[in-house]
Amino acid sequence: MHEDTDFKIDLESKSVSLTEGGIAKAEKYFNLKNLYDTDNTALTHHLDQALRANFIMLRDKDYVVSDGEVLIVDSFTGRVMEGRRYSDGLHQAIEAKEGVDIQEESKTMANITYQNMFRMYDKLAGMTGTARTEIEEFREIYNMEVISVPTNK
């Protein structure tokens, strides 16, 4: 854990927060009596995202900048995730940090689980080498039977 006079960083949990000194500076800068008053919820959220963008999110590790755009890097594969954006203003805070055009936040209009999406189809079929271990799931969720095919067929 790294601690500055104004904030403390925990890279293990990818968190950053203001210290008492940081809170006092923010209250003075924004001319507030209490930074954490409920009237200041939006401001504290933006401050938290700005701290995360500047001290937790690392260029060329968590994201890359390409053609004036911030692109997320998948932490498991190391591949750029085209079309994906961080939520809750974090992406905009990173864009501000990197000096690129700040794009409007995208909104999720609906979501669906894979199971429910697959149920929308009249016919389902598939082939895999690992279905045998999930026989119950196929029966309960999709009303499908699993048939084993010998490897020589």
Side-chain angles (χ1 to χ4, degrees):
M1 177 153 30
H2 168 76
E3 190 157 330
D4 185 272
T5 56
D6 297 329
F7 54 88
K8 59 184 171 195
I9 301 170
D10 186 347
L11 291 174
E12 203 170 298
S13 66
K14 283 197 159 224
S15 66
V16 61
S17 58
L18 291 173
T19 62
E20 290 297 323
I23 293 168
K25 279 186 179 179
E27 287 172 343
K28 183 178 179 185
Y29 182 84
F30 292 107
N31 195 26
L32 298 171
K33 288 183 181 174
N34 179 2
L35 177 64
Y36 291 100
D37 187 276
T38 55
D39 292 340
N40 304 324
T41 303
L43 174 63
T44 56
H45 175 75
H46 293 308
L47 283 172
D48 289 343
Q49 294 299 49
L51 286 169
R52 280 193 75 206
N54 282 284
F55 301 106
I56 299 293
M57 305 305 291
L58 304 174
R59 185 176 182 158
D60 297 330
K61 181 178 185 280
D62 298 306
Y63 67 92
V64 294
V65 178
S66 177
D67 296 326
E69 192 176 356
V70 172
L71 304 169
I72 298 174
V73 174
D74 185 304
S75 60
F76 297 106
T77 65
R79 293 185 181 140
V80 171
M81 297 175 18
E82 294 286 337
R84 297 284 307 272
R85 292 179 58 81
Y86 293 114
S87 62
D88 295 325
L90 179 58
H91 210 94
Q92 287 78 6
I94 295 169
E95 289 169 334
K97 167 188 169 182
E98 295 297 341
V100 301
D101 288 341
I102 299 172
Q103 298 176 22
E104 199 169 317
E105 190 167 18
S106 58
K107 301 275 189 232
T108 301
M109 303 309 278
N111 60 34
I112 188 170
T113 64
Y114 284 119
Q115 287 89 345
N116 287 334
M117 182 185 76
F118 292 144
R119 282 190 197 146
M120 296 171 78
Y121 289 91
D122 292 330
K123 293 181 182 180
L124 282 177
M127 198 161 123
T128 179
T130 59
R132 190 116 183 96
T133 59
E134 303 303 325
I135 288 175
E136 283 186 42
E137 180 180 352
F138 283 104
R139 187 178 308 117
E140 290 174 20
I141 295 176
Y142 305 111
N143 196 27
M144 293 178 72
E145 294 298 321
V146 172
I147 300 168
S148 292
V149 178
T151 55
N152 64 336
K153 300 231 177 168

